[in-house]
Amino acid sequence: MRVVIQRCKYAKVHIEDKETTSIKNGMMILLAVEDTDTQEDIDWLVKKIIALRIFDDDKGVMNLDILQTKGEIMVVSQFTLFASTKKGNRPSYLRSSKPEFSLPMYEKFVLSLQNVFGKKIATGRFGADMKVELCNDGPVTIIMDTKLKE
């Protein structure tokens, strides 16, 4: 699994020109799934995300996690995070799982994150043509890949 986490002031998802979900002050998480991903990958990511100290304390130092700030979280599926650009100019997405595998893994990830977070996670709609809008705060952008844990 690969995620891109952006600390944000707000994030919104529009589908068919209609805002379907939004958050304020928190994390926008883009998630990609590959065929070798397991529940262990989900558990590792959830633990890291919840404990990630990317929010400012009263001295302006990134020292607080999402629970300490009482922020919100949004998760959007994005298979293009596994794009390979080694050959030619058209990215290949062969590493990205097909929906039959990635949709259940996406749902398990959201549910696991929600259980640890203790409140509802906002989501996009899997497979939909979404317009994602956010205000990246900082900017702070973190990339994590469960195949690069060490």
Side-chain angles (χ1 to χ4, degrees):
M1 286 187 156
R2 181 174 289 166
V3 294
V4 172
I5 300 165
Q6 295 178 302
R7 184 177 79 178
C8 63
K9 288 292 186 186
Y10 69 84
K12 302 175 184 181
V13 171
H14 291 83
I15 300 172
E16 297 175 1
D17 294 324
K18 181 180 177 188
E19 184 178 309
T20 58
T21 191
S22 66
I23 64 167
K24 294 180 182 173
N25 295 315
M27 294 177 171
M28 159 57 87
I29 301 173
L30 304 173
L31 172 73
V33 176
E34 62 183 319
D35 290 341
T36 58
D37 289 331
T38 65
Q39 184 64 46
E40 183 179 310
D41 294 301
I42 292 171
D43 295 342
W44 183 84
L45 269 177
V46 166
K47 183 178 176 183
K48 292 293 281 187
I49 289 168
I50 292 297
L52 200 58
R53 298 181 343 180
I54 61 170
F55 297 94
D56 293 348
D57 62 17
D58 58 356
K59 293 185 171 101
V61 177
M62 284 194 286
N63 204 23
L64 303 176
D65 63 39
I66 190 76
L67 295 172
Q68 292 169 306
T69 64
K70 297 181 176 35
E72 297 180 275
I73 298 175
M74 180 184 290
V75 177
V76 172
S77 63
Q78 188 168 353
F79 73 93
T80 61
L81 293 180
F82 280 123
S84 173
T85 57
K86 289 182 181 180
K87 293 182 183 177
N89 295 315
R90 183 176 177 186
S92 167
Y93 304 106
L94 292 176
R95 246 182 100 187
S96 296
S97 290
K98 302 279 186 253
E100 301 80 48
F101 182 76
S102 57
L103 175 56
M105 290 299 284
Y106 168 79
E107 291 171 340
K108 287 178 188 179
F109 174 81
V110 171
L111 185 60
S112 294
L113 186 59
Q114 190 166 275
N115 287 339
V116 174
F117 188 47
K119 58 184 178 179
K120 187 162 175 48
I121 302 290
T123 63
R125 186 183 313 147
F126 188 92
D129 180 10
M130 296 175 275
K131 306 304 180 229
V132 179
E133 175 186 343
L134 76 145
C135 178
N136 189 320
D137 182 19
V140 175
T141 302
I142 309 292
I143 301 169
M144 288 192 276
D145 190 316
T146 59
K147 303 306 182 259
L148 303 171
K149 293 178 195 173
E150 288 125 38

